[in-house]
């Protein structure tokens, strides 16, 4: 099972280590540093690194490497999933997950890690339960603790641990009972030079924030559940009910959680809400290149596209760019060759465009690679797959909760080749 | 106020200060001090000196303080074992605490104190906790057994904790079950032989029930445990699959992959006609696709596993090509894996899309990725024949970009395409030659040189091109040097008149000026070959090469089956069985897919329900060509080894000898007949130098034909077919015999391992003449170490037929209790000559005329001083019958006939000159409707006559 965990910052310092079995010398990380050096970029460090006596499995999040050490055959996905859970927990506890914050809260971090694994076996990884065991630090509690001498470690047996619904604590009480659901869809797409779609798929999630008193039992039904043929559920969802009736029936955890994630693949038609017209040309002899892109709406079901940001990694040969946007602001970093254009809203009457010239190295031949354009955008009140919630019902409790549902579509990895 | 304040005290006497604070009367101060100690500990400062002071703080009702002290204890108990004893009492007391949280905490911490002296004191509290009324304590205690086992395995066994742990599998609480399974699995890993997880249908049922109710991590342990179970029939397998399938929709990817493992494994037992089988296949695709939208690290592990899955069951993902398309900001390790899977999924249906993508990738920035993309285009061409032309034109487009590394990769793969589709795309050579100067990588240079040598006759200035490479011969890498040597020899054989100087130059460079033994030996062989028998040289060097196939990239089927059992583990990431990398080989049990056992038809009649670890008869019977067995000395070319055809001079080509004669004479110069110049002796000239060249050569060729075709008498002596080193201690040697109409394979099995071998079985791959065992391999007693057994395996020729290359190649699989082993051997053709092979005289004449002259093959049998009578008798005993005899001008002509087991007649004319003792060569003409057998019939003649 998981032996040890090292947290390493991007400059290669180990700033926290935790061992669940015998202590593994931190020199084991030298193998990791070697791999890090070879990879040139942090994102490219391979997630599984063998060493003579151990295996190092790592994830890179928030500019921190979380490196787990294992000694025997352990499913690598198990380890990587666990590391992600550690990251999520830190974020949940401290709001952000960064080196200074972890250092500031090192004792809480240590206590939390101790509760998450026992001898390398996962013990409590649900944040609901962890928070019962070790209370997250808040300014108020710190003050109260210093005055009263109480601690931020709970002294109750975490009740959820053993019930049939281990994800929910008992005795939840709210004065305002509310349940919010966000349907968020991300479009991953590759568009080729001519504007036709190479691949397109939708990664959707339904995130919930449920603050309900007692033990509510919820059912959520959809207008068009047939869209959801590839889904992963939170453990609270009753799978049998879904299989037979296509209804989500569950006792929710308390607070925020991800109820469901789903995947609408390329075979189903995925609508592409934006198009990019581009003309990027280098000439062999001249040291000037021409650059022009225009962004416009395509299939948006009448909604506005907002938060549009266009980025593109320009070829190394491009020295500088002199561009004029019709709206928004743009930057070009001559060192990293990264072009970024913050467009904002797209007005269908007056399409935003960015035009100008690129100066190239004099005498150099024209670049081999074509820059890929990366697009970010948001569309409020639209689930691009067409998914719609039909109704939400609550059983088991008497009060009437306030219910809300929001839809949003975003660009995931949305790339346009030129 | 944050914890970072604990780091700020860097003053002198820090430890002293802390000590004072720890002994303070104020609770608050104490706690702060312990926090400071812990903070120092986490960043690796040594605070072990404070051990007694910290332990003193343990007796407290403050839970946080207690936990902090426990944290400290776990870290430092090992270094202060005597002090640690002080803590024991508190633990024992805490295990009796009314609060289950405290009890669990105590038992948890206890197990983490890795001090031998303490462990003994902990047995009693642990025993109590394992039977605690609170499941939270029980599940914590279960893990504690695994901890204790790690520290002192003997103690755990003596105390009977393992049995208690096994009982917990039937616990009413699913979390306790899951933890018990996890603990047992970990213990079992260090005891591969023990039957700790002895699963039966009842316990399986318990596990399946717990599976639905326990946490995600518990589900992983249970699924991994289920995967080791061997259902008794397909009905049980199906019912387990049905209950596992819902796990595919879990949000935790590790749960999903473990479920995939169970399904992939048990699916093997289901009949393909079953509706459920199809349903299951359909259900497997979406979760695998979903894994690819996760974080890159998860994607990587998923992709490595998908790579195995598409090789085992390509049908699952055959419609999902697009999800493997590469995004430009994927990490490089994800990109490379996606590319690999794209090629595996490439088929005629989607090749256009794939090619368009690959071409796109070839213009990306990352060099490694671009190279692999270009290679991928070549692999597509080899895999999907219909696409070859498009691939070649795509590659040409890429060469036009003139990007250096793209051009080089393209040339390397075009060489492979030539090997797969000879005489089809040679028109592109001109374009390739234009880029000659830009090649600076050895592999690309070697590939280009190979192309020039192979197609020397079509390239006008081939000699100039090769000469230009020769200038810097010593600076080239070995790969290029070897290739250059072979290419120039090829060129010389094709255009002998203009290139003598060149070949002389390269041979002397290779043999005299090089320190590389491979290069030197290859140089000598060519030299001798050219000087002794140019015709033979031509046949050897310019022999037709076997085509290459894309199979070379696939994982070998038995390994693949084993790896499928390890889906989701490190083994699946490395594509190696755990035995190859798990430390010390502990915990390694070979796993294999379950055999298909149908409950309905044969549940009673198949007594040997194959146990785990024993591959079944269902295993694919195609074996990969074991090229290395052919011991190929004259490995002339890149890529797969070429089996060199034995020396044979055809009189049809005699004219060529004259033509070459002059050139060779001058090449050899004044040195006596082929011996390299005297100066060479410094460079370890072959020991046989002084021996007659011809015998030296035949020695050489005995080596090349290696595995026992041409050696020995009528019944060749046994040769080693399978060396012990390749078969985990089993050595097999053998030969083929034919006696009164029956063929048999005489085998000698030697056990050179340390363990007894049993359960032998043998199987042949399909072969040219349908040879198959007529009876099972009977090894009556188990073969103990160092024992040898001889046996004769009767063969028949009614097996399935597939043309092999070479024709008499036989691939054999031998199984025993340890593993399955593969080897290939060549059988002498004369075992196939049947007894009724004597043709009637008239018939002979008519047939001889009837067979077209192109089917006539001529051979020389050298150094065979036999008289006509003796030769005829010798041949007759091997079922080659003399139909007629004629004497003309001191020459005897024997007309002979023989028939093969598959009914093919071969007619022969053997010319013997008994009157002239100096002419000991026999001349043989063979006529046959299937001319490809002639070569082997000739070999049989030679074997029989020379022994």
């Amino acid at each position: 099972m998981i032996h040890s965990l090292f947290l390493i910052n991007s400059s290669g310092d180990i700033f926290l280590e935790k061992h669940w079995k015998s202590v593994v010398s931190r020199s084991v990380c030298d193998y990791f540093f070697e791999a890090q050096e070879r990879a040139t970029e942090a994102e490219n460090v391979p997630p599984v690194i063998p060493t003579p006596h151990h295996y190092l499995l790592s994830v890179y999040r928030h500019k921190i490497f979380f490196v787990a050490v294992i000694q025997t055959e352990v499913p690598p996905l198990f380890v990587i999933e666990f590391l992600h859970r550690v990251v999520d927990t830190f974020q949940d506890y401290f709001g952000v997950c960064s080196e200074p914050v972890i250092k500031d809260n090192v004792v809480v971090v240590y206590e939390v890690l101790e509760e998450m694994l026992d001898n390398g076996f996962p013990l409590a990884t649900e944040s609901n339960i962890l928070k019962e065991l070790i209370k997250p630090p808040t300014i108020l509690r710190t003050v109260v603790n210093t005055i009263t001498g109480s601690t931020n470690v709970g002294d109750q047996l975490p009740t959820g641990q053993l019930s049939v619904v281990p994800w929910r604590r008992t005795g939840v009480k709210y004065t305002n009972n509310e349940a919010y659901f966000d349907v968020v869809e991300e479009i991953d797409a590759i568009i080729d030079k001519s504007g036709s779609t190479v691949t397109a798929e939708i990664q959707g999630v339904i995130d919930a924030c449920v603050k309900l008193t007692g033990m509510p039992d919820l059912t959520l039904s959809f207008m068009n559940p047939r869209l959801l043929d590839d889904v992963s559920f939170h453990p609270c969802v009753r799978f049998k009910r879904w299989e037979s009736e296509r209804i989500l029936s569950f006792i929710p955890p308390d607070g925020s959680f991800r109820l469901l994630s789903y995947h609408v693949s390329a075979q189903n038609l995925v609508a592409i809400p934006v198009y990019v017209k581009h003309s990027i040309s280098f000439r062999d002899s001249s040291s000037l290149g021409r650059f022009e892109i225009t962004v416009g709406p395509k299939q948006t079901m009448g909604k506005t596209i907002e938060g549009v940001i266009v980025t593109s990694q320009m070829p190394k040969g491009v020295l500088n760019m002199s561009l004029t946007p019709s709206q928004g602001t743009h930057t070009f970093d001559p060192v990293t060759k990264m072009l970024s254009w913050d467009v904002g809203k797209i007005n269908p009457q007056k399409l935003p465009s960015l035009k100008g010239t690129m100066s190239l190295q004099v005498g150099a031949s024209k670049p081999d690679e074509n820059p890929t354009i990366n697009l970010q955008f948001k569309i409020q009140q639209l689930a691009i797959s067409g998914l719609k919630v039909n109704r939400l019902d609550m059983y088991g409790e008497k009060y009437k909760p306030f219910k809300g549902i929001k839809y949003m579509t975003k660009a995931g990895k949305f790339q346009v080749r030129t | 106020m944050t914890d970072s304040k604990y780091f700020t005290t860097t003053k002198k006497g820090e430890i002293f200060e802390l000590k004072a604070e720890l002994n303070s009367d104020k609770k608050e101060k104490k706690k702060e001090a312990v926090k400071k100690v812990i903070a120092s500990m986490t960043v690796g400062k040594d605070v072990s000196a404070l051990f007694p002071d910290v332990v003193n703080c343990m007796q407290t009702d403050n839970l946080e303080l207690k936990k902090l002290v426990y944290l400290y204890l776990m870290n430092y108990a090992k270094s202060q074992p005597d002090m640690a004893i002080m803590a024991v009492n508190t633990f024992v007391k805490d295990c009796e605490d009314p609060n289950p949280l405290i009890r669990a905490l105590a038992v948890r911490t206890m197990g983490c104190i890795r001090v031998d002296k303490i462990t003994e004191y902990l047995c009693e509290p642990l025993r109590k906790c394992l039977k605690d009324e609170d499941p939270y304590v029980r599940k914590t205690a279960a893990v504690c057994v695994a901890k204790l086992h790690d520290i002192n395995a003997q103690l755990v066994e003596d105390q009977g904790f393992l049995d208690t742990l096994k009982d917990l599998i039937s616990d009413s609480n699913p979390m306790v079950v899951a933890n018990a399974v996890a603990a047992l699995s970990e213990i079992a890993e260090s005891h591969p032989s023990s039957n700790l997880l002895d699963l039966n249908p009842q316990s399986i049922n318990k596990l399946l029930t717990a599976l639905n109710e326990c946490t995600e991590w518990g589900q992983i342990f249970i699924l991994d445990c289920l995967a080791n179970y061997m259902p008794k029939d397909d009905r049980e397998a199906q019912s387990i699959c049905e209950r596992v399938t819902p796990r595919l929709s879990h949000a935790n990817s590790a749960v999903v992959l473990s479920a995939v493992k169970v399904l992939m494994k048990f699916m093997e037992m289901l009949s393909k006609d079953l509706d459920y089988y199809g349903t299951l296949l359909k259900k497997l695709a979406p979760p695998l696709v979903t894994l690819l939208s996760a974080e890159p690290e998860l994607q990587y592990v998923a992709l490595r596993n998908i790579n195995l899955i598409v090789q085992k069951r390509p049908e699952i993902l055959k419609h999902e090509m697009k999800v493997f398309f590469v995004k430009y900001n994927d990490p490089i390790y994800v990109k490379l894996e996606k590319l690999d899977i794209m090629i595996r999924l490439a088929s005629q249906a989607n090749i256009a899309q794939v090619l368009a993508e690959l071409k796109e990738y070839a213009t990306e920035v990352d060099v490694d990725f671009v190279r692999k993309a270009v290679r991928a285009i070549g692999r597509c061409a080899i895999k999907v024949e219909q696409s070859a032309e498009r691939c070649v034109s795509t590659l040409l487009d890429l060469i036009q970009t003139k990007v250096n590394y793209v051009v080089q990769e393209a040339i390397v793969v075009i060489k492979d395409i030539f090997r797969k589709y000879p005489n089809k795309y040679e028109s592109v050579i001109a374009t390739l030659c234009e880029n000659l100067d830009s090649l600076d990588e050895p592999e690309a240079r070697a590939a280009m040189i190979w192309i020039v040598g192979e197609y020397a006759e079509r390239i006008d200035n081939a000699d100039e091109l090769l000469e230009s490479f020769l200038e810097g011969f010593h600076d080239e890498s070995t790969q290029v040097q070897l290739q250059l040597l072979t290419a120039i020899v090829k060129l010389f054989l094709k255009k002998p008149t203009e290139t003598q100087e060149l070949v002389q130059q390269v041979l002397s460079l290779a043999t005299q000026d090089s320190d590389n033994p491979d290069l030197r030996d290859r140089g000598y062989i060519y030299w001798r070959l050219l000087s002794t028998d140019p015709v033979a040289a031509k046949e050897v060097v310019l022999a037709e090469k076997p085509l290459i196939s894309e199979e070379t990239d696939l994982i070998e089927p038995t390994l693949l089956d084993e790896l499928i059992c390890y889906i989701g583990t490190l083994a699946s990431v490395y594509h190696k069985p755990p035995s190859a990398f798990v430390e010390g080989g502990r915990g390694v049990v070979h796993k294999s897919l379950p055999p298909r056992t149908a409950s309905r038809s044969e549940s009673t009649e198949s007594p040997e329900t194959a146990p785990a670890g024993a591959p079944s008869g269902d295993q694919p019977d195609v074996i990969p060509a074991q090229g290395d067995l052919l011991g190929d000395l004259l490995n002339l070319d890149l890529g797969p080894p070429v089996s060199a055809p034995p020396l044979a001079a055809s009189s049809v080509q005699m004219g060529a000898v004259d033509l070459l004669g002059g050139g060779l004479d001058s090449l050899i110069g004044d040195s006596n007949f082929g011996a390299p110049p005297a100066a060479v002796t410094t460079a370890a000239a072959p020991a046989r130098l002084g021996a007659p060249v011809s015998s030296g050569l035949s020695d050489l060729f005995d080596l090349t034909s290696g595995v026992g075709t041409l050696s020995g008498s009528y019944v060749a002596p046994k040769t080693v077919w399978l060396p012990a080193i390749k078969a985990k201690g089993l050595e097999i040697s053998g030969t083929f015999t034919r006696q009164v109409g029956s063929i048999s394979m005489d085998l000698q099995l030697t056990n050179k391992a340390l363990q007894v071998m049993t359960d032998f079985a043998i199987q042949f791959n399909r072969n040219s003449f349908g040879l198959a065992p007529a009876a099972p391999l009977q090894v009556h007693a188990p073969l103990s170490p160092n024992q040898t057994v001889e046996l004769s395996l009767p063969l028949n020729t009614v097996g399935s037929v597939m043309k092999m290359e070479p024709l008499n190649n036989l691939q054999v699989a031998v199984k025993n209790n340890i593993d399955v082993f593969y080897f290939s051997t060549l059988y002498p053709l004369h075992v196939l000559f049947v007894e009724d092979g004597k043709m009637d005289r008239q018939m002979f004449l008519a047939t001889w005329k009837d067979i077209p002259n192109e089917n006539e093959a001529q051979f020389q049998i050298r150094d065979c001083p036999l008289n006509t009578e003796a030769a005829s008798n010798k041949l007759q005993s091997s079922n080659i019958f003399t139909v007629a005899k004629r004497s003309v001008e001191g020459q005897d002509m024997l007309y002979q006939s023989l028939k093969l087991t598959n009914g093919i007649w071969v007619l022969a004319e053997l010319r013997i000159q008994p009157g002239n003792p100096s002419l000991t060569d026999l001349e043989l003409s063979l006529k046959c409707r299937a001319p490809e057998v002639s070569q082997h019939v000739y070999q049989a003649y030679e074997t029989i006559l020379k022994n």
Side-chain angles (χ1 to χ4, degrees), chain A residues 53 55 61 73 76 81 85 104 107 110 114-115 118 125 151 198 203 230 232-233 267 369 415 417, chain B residues 3-4 42 64 67 108 147 216-217 249 253 286 290 293 295 297 319 329 357 363 568 570 581 583:
Chain A
H53 302 285
Y55 289 88
R61 290 289 173 282
E73 174 71 86
E81 278 279 357
R85 213 56 63 86
D104 279 352
V107 177
Y110 224 68
E114 183 61 29
E115 289 302 332
D118 175 19
T125 52
T151 70
V198 180
Q203 313 289 350
D230 180 6
S232 324
F233 298 117
Q267 272 81 7
E369 72 265 16
Q415 311 184 343
R417 292 177 180 160
Chain B
D3 294 345
S4 52
T42 55
E64 186 182 18
K67 277 191 171 178
R108 219 175 98 195
K147 294 182 198 170
E216 48 197 315
W217 313 110
S249 301
S253 57
T290 304
S293 52
E295 288 83 354
E297 296 91 355
H319 298 304
N329 46 5
E357 278 296 301
T363 62
L570 284 170
F581 63 88
E583 245 192 24

